[in-house]
Amino acid sequence: MGPKAQMAERSLSYDRPLDAVLSAAPPPPPPVSNTGMMQQVAPSRVAYTRPLGAVSGAPSAPPPQMAQMRASSIAYTRPLDAATAVPAAPTPLVQPAAPSISYTRPLGALTNVALPQRAYQKPLDAQGAPVVATQIAAAGRPYQKPLDAIEVVSNYAPSARAYQKPLDAADDSDYWTDLGHALNGDGASGNQTGLPPVVLAVSSSSQYLFGSQYMPEKSLLTPDEIDAELKNLRDLLDAGFLQAFQYEERKADLIKQKKFAFSSSIPHVSFGELSANVILDSMDDAPHTSSKAANRNVRVFISSTFRDMGDEREALLKHVFPLLQKEYRERGVSLTAVDLRWGITSEQTNNAQTINVCLSEIDRCRPYFVTLLGGRYGWAQPDHGVDELLKRTHDRAAESFPWIRKFSTRSVTELEIRHALLNDMGSETSRRGLVYMRKDAQDEDTRLTHLKKELQDARSQGAFRALGQYRDAEELKRTLSADLMKLLDEDFPAATVPTPLERERQAHDAFQDSRCRVYVSKPSYFSELNSHLLNPTSGPIVVVGDAGVGKSAFLCNWAVRYKRDNPDKLVITHFIGATSASTDLAQTLTRIMQEINSFYQLDKEIPTSVTAMVEKFPEFLAEAGKRRGLVLLLDALDQLSPADGAQDLLWLPTISPDGVRLVLSCQTSPCLNVITKRKWRSMQIQPLSKAERTILISEYMQQAGKKLTPEQTELVASSNQCGYPLFLRTLLEELRVFGSFEQLESKISGYLAAKTIPDLFDKVFERLEKDFVLPANSTNCKEVEKSFIGAVLGLVLVSRKGLAESEMLECLNLTQAYWSPLFLALEEFLVSRSGFLAFFHDYMRQAVEKRYSRIPNFFNDLRRLLTGYWNSKAASEMAAVRSSKDKLSPLAQRAFEEVPFHYEASSDINSLRNFISKPSHFRALAAQAFRFDLVRYVRSCDGAVAIKNAMQSLSDISDMDTTASFFKELGSYEIAEDFYQKALVAAEKVNPRNEVTLADVLDGLGYVQRLRGKYIDAAKTLERCLELKRRLLKEDDGSLATSINNLAIVFRKQGKYERAEELYNNALAIRLKIFGTTHADVAQSYNSLGCLYQDQGKFEIAEKNLMEAIRLRELLLGSGHPDLAMSLFNLGNVYLDWSRFQESVPLYDRALEIYEACFGPQHPYVAQVLNSMAGVQQEMGHYDDAEKIYFRTLQIREASLGSSHPDVALTLNDIAVLYSRQNRFDEAVVYYKRALEIRRAVVGEAHPDYAQALKNLATVYQDLGRYHEALPLFEKTLDVYKTALGELHPNVASACTGLAGLKQQMGRFNECIPLYEKALQIYGDLAGGAPDSDMALTLNDFAVLFFKMQNWAKAEETYLRALDMYERCFGEKHPDVCQALINIGHFHVSRGDKGKAKEYFTRAAETYREIFGANHAKTLHAISLTSA
């Protein structure tokens, strides 16, 4: 019987990665049996699933034991080589779970992926003092006493810079008492509370205080009170309580108010305006985030009489504004003309709403106001008699605008002009007003003549931007267009078009502003959070509480104050749910990394895949921490989309880098479960107490000029749901607008029947539906006809980013007259985020979805309405995209954001596929801004083939490169390579001098060639790329080092270790020159070299390099960083291959500890380390321990990745191998079959991963002697590999050797020869004449065949060829070389030449002694052979 050649019986991969070519010399094999051992392999290059050629059954007498050569014998988890990462196109560690994507690699099984650098050890050494709570005094309002048990803040001046001392009961009482004396203007305090006597603070979604229980009924100071206050101000200045600039600011406010007090022309301040004014005060001197430039949502109010201005207003609305809208849309500005020229609707007129609607709209349009005056005066009281409807309309408006009581006989048009321009000629609206009078117009009313004279006098005093005259509509068009364009140019210069990052930031700022209206909080909340951040040893903190209790409002107000007090520190506020992008993990990480780059002026590359982003995210945090620090506020983690495992929080550091603090909020959700397990500190926001509710009810209703009876107040305050500020505010707002006092108690009871906030919103919608009914034929939109309120709210719901007001009007075909009253009624429920209307709170979204889903297909009808609108409006702009680098027009940007999104949401798969596969559309969507969306769209509609077919006929280099890059990211490497090849041909033919483009194409092509296992082609491509970059870049350019590393990876995969070593050292030299000896990139190079030397079996050199990587990473990154764990893990693998098992254990233990601290005990990286730990136990013969660890690994992977994930299949395969080791073959079959079914379900039967699983199962059947069951599986494996990978691929060669090994055992020797020859040809062609360990393995198996065929000469020749190949691959001092020597020794023993055999055994023993030491099992075994 011929020798059974088994080079290394230790055959598991233990999650070994793709280029896992380890040089392990395992313990001596046990006595020969007829079963070979199987090896788990990541679906990668060559899957050595069992000892190839380990067969028996030859007719001759059995020779001494011979070990079959096993390439790199062990696959334990490959040294993780961070240097192999390709920044331009990182490959995901875990491919997305979609049938169209191949799971070609296990977790950690790619040398071009470094483990994520995520958690860091030391928290921020926070500096600064506690935020000083500052009291607000709204302009022109009396100072008010504070509310007990509610935070009231210091202040007096609108700038709120005075009295900045922190509120501290231990030492501040004297301070506040002295201040109280000063404010009262005497030596005795009338305020014995020890707190400042002036308090007003307001908010909209958390804990509310709308004034004070001591607030006087009148809201403005009299002239005498103003004079007294001016004297007090001077006294405060002289006493040192005020700085000069604070004195001047407050003095100017008082003087302005005094002017209005004398004239009795009191400017109206609506509740919404009060909120806006108060936020400015409440935030002290911090800049308010909602400015014209930030909002970029312009509403221009057009005021005129109705009957005589038809031509002029038609000219404006049909000519002037469309041109202006197009111009400013290019600058990211949404321009809306608010035109009520057709009058208020009859319903509104009869309900006495006309003046109220007009003046309210002016407030919403500030500071943009245009008035046109001809000969008509407008709707006014007649000289004789009374217009009762107008009187009723006037009286009703006076409730909100009390100043108009002095103008009860004036026309609506004059009231508009006074409200906008004349009441406060120092206001921005007055200064920027545009007034136009028709020449030769005959005034029909002397009141009109007086009004025109007053306007002209005001203009002569510097008011208004323009006061002009015009002959006709044409002249007005020219004049007004120029004036308005000049005005808009000042606010929105062409150079200030916001970037996508700025637009997203503005949207979050707008969300923050909306929560900073009318807000007050208990001081304990602010002090608790500030104290936590001041503690340098504290970790992340999470704010918790039920939805609607005020978490977001608290964090918004805290963040604005914190930014004010820490202007040099980067504070990123990310409110999840505030924008459509904010709920997506990839876009969230992208935004945070972009903010860090922008603030600190970095130029760090941001990856495009989620996995790579997760890896790089901690690096960005560390960069910010090393500078002036970072506070990252992530609100509403529970609203993250569950895609990409976002709610598992594996992307979020457990331990923050130095200088980085995490402030989070969350409610009950999987996120909160993770946070609880991490034992992060939590901070609870409690509902309002009954006492607080009572105060707030009184203050809110007083602000509205109304009052509840004690019984009604008790009814509301006693309701538990009113402890939630959002519920209470919504209820009070409903009571504010309710008209019948007699039915008020019944109304309260009806609203309190709603036990949840969404239920309350449902009642609000019901009320709105009754209040706003469109008359017949007022629109031709069928969705509006179904439900006017539902259509408006539904469009906000289904739209991706919300809708601009102009978009809403155009979609629903509404006039401004119908829209404005509803818009005003919804003011408390909608917010504008970067000019787009969105819901104030997620509860409103839930209520809309619940209520209007009752209408069949309603939301899908709205989606079709939107896609039709955008496809029509933006067709030419979308078709005009010529490159993925083109700057899209704002109109095209909106269309690409919305149209495919709605096709996907409505499951209109065909329309989605057709849309994304149009070349111009694909170009736009393939750009960075939409790349994540495009990947999702392609998967949801199976659109890859359509895109390929649409793009392959195009010849533009940019198109081909864009398409190739996209398919590379999609994981479709064959298609990507095809497009890169076309791009390369085009680049060489069309513009060969453009070396930058050529280098980029070569870089991408080489990358996909490497991933496809085409190493010869990849090496040629990347060598050419590197040659170009050496000409284009300076020698000390960091990106040059990256290109060098990329080429080194390929040489390492080819086994060209000398070339790889030269390149790695070259990259190291560049990095040392650029960064010095102590830098993370230098540590990466040492890590890469350590992995390379491990491959070569040069364990001592590998050990030294990895130890240096460990030293640098611990020094630079701290003792808890994942990169440190990676190097520790790699060194453990070296010791594992070196058979120094006991020394590998503490390294794995420490790596495991770091990973668990960073990511928690259920993270896939924890499973990866456990897998190798199980391998150690298996190699030490501790099979029970190994089995327990494998099953823990399996549990983690199933829990974190799902039971059908490819990595679960890998662990199942490992368990099967363990059972095979113990001859538990029947149990092994069960686990191999489970692994096979996962692969079948995930990638299908035509995928290489499925072929690998088939091969594994075939191998165990072979070991069981069930050859006829194994044979069809081996044959199918070979067929799948050929079809999927082509004839020239290492997996095809491996399948050939596997099938040949089985046929050897079946005695079908002649059928084996062409299979071995085919495998040798493939390996030879791939290696290009270079030494190749796979070829050496196959030669060894071929020698076994010749031995069994008793072709002794051929057998010896082939054994020697295998030995020579191993020596050329690894050098003479390598364990695989030793095993080849032993194999040849056994051959000579079998031929009776013991002397010659002893020479080979002796060489093996001496080499083993040099590698492992004199007492190692391998050394002792080889020595025993010499004496046998």
Side-chain angles (χ1 to χ4, degrees), residues 78-130:
R78 167 114 187 126
L80 297 170
D81 181 0
T84 61
V86 181
T91 303
L93 291 172
V94 182
Q95 296 284 2
S100 61
I101 302 301
S102 303
Y103 295 95
T104 56
R105 309 288 186 285
L107 182 65
L110 296 175
T111 58
N112 65 318
V113 179
L115 281 181
Q117 303 175 21
R118 200 164 317 180
Y120 300 81
Q121 190 72 24
K122 298 177 182 177
L124 167 68
D125 181 11
Q127 297 180 353

Side-chain angles (χ1 to χ4, degrees), residues 1097-1116:
K1098 298 177 180 179
F1099 299 130
E1100 290 183 5
I1101 308 176
E1103 180 184 34
K1104 290 178 181 178
N1105 278 275
L1106 287 170
M1107 282 184 167
E1108 178 62 11
I1110 290 169
R1111 184 190 71 80
L1112 286 174
R1113 283 176 166 170
E1114 190 154 24
L1115 175 68
L1116 294 167

